[in-house]
Amino acid sequence: MHDIIVMDPSTDRRVSHSCDDGHRSISHGNRIITEMDFFADANCPKQKPPPAAIVKTEAMDDGVGRQNEEDINTSLNLLTGSIGRDNKSIVEDGASQNKEAYNQRKKELELLHAKINHMNAENQRLKGILNQVNNNHYFLQMHLVALMQRLQNQNTITVKNEEVIHGTLEEKQHVGSIIARHFLDLGKAEIGEIGEGCSQSVSEERSRDCSISPNIVESMENNKPPVVSSSSISGVVPVLDHLKRSAGGIKNYETSEEAFHGWVPNKVPKFNTSRDVDDEQKAVTSSMIRKARVSVRARSEASTISDGCQWRKYGQKLAKGNPCPRSYYRCTMSSGCPVRKQVQRCAEDQAVLVTTYEGCHDHPLPPAAMAMASTTSAAASMLLSGSMPSPDELMNANLLAKTFPCPPGFATLSASAPFPTVTLDVTPPPASNSSQRLQGHFLLPSLNFPNNFTSTPHVSAQALYNQSKVSGLLSPHKGMELPQIIPPLADSTVSAATAAITSDPNFTAALVAAISSIIGNIQANSNSNSSPTLRNSIDNST
DNA sequence: CGTTTTTGACCAGCGC
DNA sequence: GCGCTGGTCAAAAACG
């Protein structure tokens, strides 16, 4: 640093330059020495250039009152510390030295600017990489959840097999019927679910003859434990193939491709795991062999929410109890894709659009559609996993606590919703307390949201957590609609429910995927102004 | 002209 | 068996 004394030519006084950064003045005896950080100039833009300074030879007041009379205006603001007797030559030397120093500093400054620019560019590049890594991490997380769920399914199958092997004959029959129904339902769902990742394998399996003898069903019919080969356990697809063949052997049960794509049409053919199954069991079985659904509630003025997929409307009906028609769409991104969705406005609040997804895509999805597809897949997997109670389990009160960790009264059966359904509600809670649905709202504070929407505001998650798991086990009030399912929740109940829900990785993943999808769509819509209401709904929830 | 939407008809499940 | 309901089909219309 250089010691500089700056004089104001108008007042012939020392001028004190001050800049917040890198420019400080120190008193050194009678001399005021100003230390300037050259590199701080950029940080002191308001600083006016110092007036044409007068460099005084530093024969300052020495206390005797004698001052050097020669003031030389160099037009430079710098004064080197070296002061000689020959003032003129000294000043000239100092000026040339200062010029050199100035040029040197200038070069250094330019160098630093270049460095800063380079670092900025590097920073931007790293940001991009970080974003990409975050996205990859998110999708890997989703994939991992799905894989873990499949593993869990296999474990469930194994455990049930052991129960059959070690149980009494009656228990064998009981559990055997569970497995039969569970396998068939789960199998179809899993095949659809796997469709994306293992579509090749599945399509290979599809091409096979479906008339191979069904080991499992045969075993059940003979009251023998079903045989699941080790090769079947080792992979999901062989299990599914096994299931397909089992189903095919039952009664040519939907040997067409669609039968194994995950979509179970409403016209579900009844099938019996045993010829002796009574009518009651048939009815329960029939009703339970339905596909899991994922329902998304969101405020939107648009006819549908954009989820990244291409849909074709194939029907519209006026459903009972709702003046708004229900529209039926099927995915057209591939011929024969089994995924369908129903879109209907809520009768109570027609600004709310309820979109219900069924099935799993059998084709690659664009990134925009991945989130919603992951939602339906993960939710379906969760609902149809081993935790899903079979009709037999529904009748077994002892299993209730095991299979449903949520507190009693959390939900009851909706007879109007025969399918196991997860409802993801991203509508903001209404201002008034008029809606009973509000009672079901709760926050999920501990959800591990991916980084790309950590700013997600209050997410009102009316998660009708696994109605198959939840509903049907408790009081099955006929005719209760979804909004009425959830009774008022005390704080402790909310905590327990939150814990129960967040402990299920699939549900978390499903919720995360749905919300991210919707948030993403909202952001997209906000750019195109296509859905102001939906956007507002989220904004309001902050 | 190909694709999408509309809309009435049809079918199956279910309750009475 | 009959009627109601939800879901799907398919021909016609609309659209780009």
Side-chain angles (χ1 to χ4, degrees):
Chain A
M1 291 297 170
H2 295 261
D3 294 342
I4 301 168
I5 295 174
V6 179
M7 302 297 292
D8 187 340
S10 59
T11 61
D12 197 25
R13 287 184 178 176
R14 297 183 184 93
V15 174
S16 170
H17 262 300
S18 66
C19 179
D20 290 341
D21 301 322
H23 190 203
R24 58 193 174 93
S25 298
I26 57 173
S27 174
H28 191 75
N30 289 330
R31 299 166 55 182
I32 296 178
I33 302 172
T34 303
E35 180 178 316
M36 176 179 284
D37 185 352
F38 282 93
F39 309 110
D41 282 353
N43 296 329
C44 193
K46 291 177 183 175
Q47 179 182 341
K48 293 178 184 175
I54 296 170
V55 178
K56 296 183 87 172
T57 52
E58 280 295 23
M60 304 284 287
D61 188 354
D62 57 2
V64 188
R66 183 168 54 91
Q67 265 185 319
N68 193 322
E69 300 294 328
E70 288 189 57
D71 292 340
I72 301 168
N73 189 348
T74 64
S75 294
L76 291 175
N77 301 331
L78 306 176
L79 177 64
T80 58
S82 61
I83 297 174
R85 294 298 176 189
D86 186 348
N87 289 335
K88 276 192 176 178
S89 64
I90 288 172
V91 168
E92 283 174 7
D93 290 343
S96 63
Q97 287 177 4
N98 287 340
K99 216 170 187 175
E100 281 179 17
Y102 176 76
N103 288 335
Q104 192 178 346
R105 295 286 181 268
K106 199 176 176 183
K107 283 180 184 175
E108 288 178 7
L109 194 60
E110 288 172 357
L111 206 66
L112 278 170
H113 271 304
K115 259 187 178 178
I116 289 171
N117 286 338
H118 181 260
M119 289 177 72
N120 276 338
E122 181 75 5
N123 191 27
Q124 291 299 319
R125 194 176 64 84
L126 289 173
K127 271 185 182 175
I129 292 174
L130 183 63
N131 281 337
Q132 194 170 356
V133 167
N134 275 335
N135 288 337
N136 290 342
H137 171 256
Y138 172 57
F139 286 114
L140 279 175
Q141 208 170 20
M142 299 295 295
H143 189 61
L144 180 65
V145 166
L147 287 177
M148 288 175 66
Q149 189 58 54
R150 288 168 200 161
L151 199 64
Q152 184 185 338
N153 294 341
Q154 291 176 14
N155 291 340
T156 306
I157 290 167
T158 307
V159 167
K160 287 189 174 179
N161 282 341
E162 288 176 1
E163 288 175 359
V164 171
I165 291 171
H166 299 297
T168 64
L169 180 62
E170 189 178 318
E171 287 170 347
K172 286 177 187 175
Q173 293 171 337
H174 174 77
V175 179
S177 62
I178 292 175
I179 294 173
R181 285 184 292 269
H182 187 86
F183 264 19
L184 289 166
D185 197 17
L186 177 61
K188 288 187 285 182
E190 287 284 9
I191 288 167
E193 179 191 353
I194 292 167
E196 271 179 44
C198 310
S199 58
Q200 188 179 353
S201 303
V202 174
S203 60
E204 285 173 8
E205 301 299 333
R206 276 187 206 126
S207 63
R208 293 188 188 173
D209 185 4
C210 289
S211 62
I212 300 173
S213 63
N215 290 346
I216 293 178
V217 177
E218 278 181 4
S219 301
M220 290 171 192
E221 288 181 348
N222 297 331
N223 286 334
K224 284 187 283 190
V227 178
V228 179
S229 66
S230 58
S231 63
S232 297
I233 291 293
S234 64
V236 177
V237 172
V239 171
L240 300 176
D241 181 42
H242 188 88
L243 293 170
K244 277 169 59 181
R245 281 175 275 165
S246 301
I250 292 174
K251 69 170 210 181
N252 291 329
Y253 173 72
E254 289 191 316
T255 53
S256 66
E257 271 196 7
E258 190 177 78
F260 297 107
H261 272 57
W263 172 261
V264 180
N266 194 35
K267 314 165 190 175
V268 179
K270 292 182 180 179
F271 72 92
N272 302 337
T273 58
S274 167
R275 298 182 189 91
D276 301 330
V277 175
D278 57 19
D279 290 342
E280 181 186 0
Q281 194 162 2
K282 270 193 275 185
V284 175
T285 302
S286 165
S287 66
M288 291 305 294
I289 303 173
R290 302 286 175 95
K291 182 89 179 54
R293 290 179 170 185
V294 179
S295 193
V296 177
R297 295 172 54 99
R299 287 189 183 277
S300 174
E301 287 178 354
S303 57
T304 63
I305 60 173
S306 62
D307 45 28
C309 283
Q310 294 172 355
W311 303 93
R312 179 182 172 179
K313 190 175 182 178
Y314 67 91
Q316 178 172 312
K317 285 289 269 191
L318 263 177
K320 189 182 178 185
N322 192 336
C324 303
R326 176 184 300 164
S327 298
Y328 299 89
Y329 297 85
R330 63 163 56 105
C331 178
T332 59
M333 294 191 77
S334 82
S335 61
C337 178
V339 176
R340 320 238 166 146
K341 74 172 181 181
Q342 300 175 4
V343 179
Q344 187 175 31
R345 297 208 168 272
C346 181
E348 297 167 347
D349 184 359
Q350 297 192 3
V352 175
L353 203 63
V354 181
T355 307
T356 304
Y357 295 88
E358 293 192 35
C360 298
H361 297 278
D362 65 348
H363 53 83
L365 289 170
M370 282 295 292
M372 190 57 80
S374 299
T375 302
T376 55
S377 178
S381 172
M382 176 185 74
L383 293 177
L384 297 173
S385 69
S387 59
M388 175 183 172
S390 71
D392 306 76
E393 289 171 325
L394 295 180
M395 292 179 267
N396 188 343
N398 291 332
L399 285 172
L400 177 62
K402 271 198 281 184
T403 57
F404 176 48
C406 295
F410 177 65
T412 55
L413 175 69
S414 168
S416 62
F419 301 98
T421 304
V422 169
T423 298
L424 304 169
D425 190 345
V426 293
T427 61
S432 68
N433 199 22
S434 59
S435 172
Q436 295 185 22
R437 192 169 55 82
L438 176 63
Q439 299 165 347
H441 281 281
F442 54 85
L443 296 174
L444 300 176
S446 60
L447 284 180
N448 183 22
F449 287 104
N451 293 338
N452 52 344
F453 56 96
T454 49
S455 60
T456 299
H458 165 106
V459 176
S460 173
Q462 186 202 9
L464 301 184
Y465 172 60
N466 191 351
Q467 284 191 25
S468 74
K469 193 188 275 189
V470 173
S471 59
L473 303 176
L474 306 172
S475 51
H477 300 309
K478 279 185 72 172
M480 289 190 74
E481 300 294 334
L482 284 183
Q484 298 172 316
I485 287 175
I486 300 184
L489 297 173
D491 286 346
S492 60
T493 309
V494 171
S495 302
T498 302
I501 288 171
T502 53
S503 67
D504 188 325
N506 272 347
F507 181 84
T508 303
L511 187 60
V512 161
I515 292 168
S516 65
S517 170
I518 290 165
I519 297 294
N521 288 329
I522 289 164
Q523 288 170 346
N525 288 340
S526 69
N527 294 333
S528 62
N529 263 346
S530 62
S531 180
T533 306
L534 184 57
R535 184 175 66 251
N536 290 341
S537 73
I538 300 295
D539 292 342
N540 293 339
S541 65
T542 53

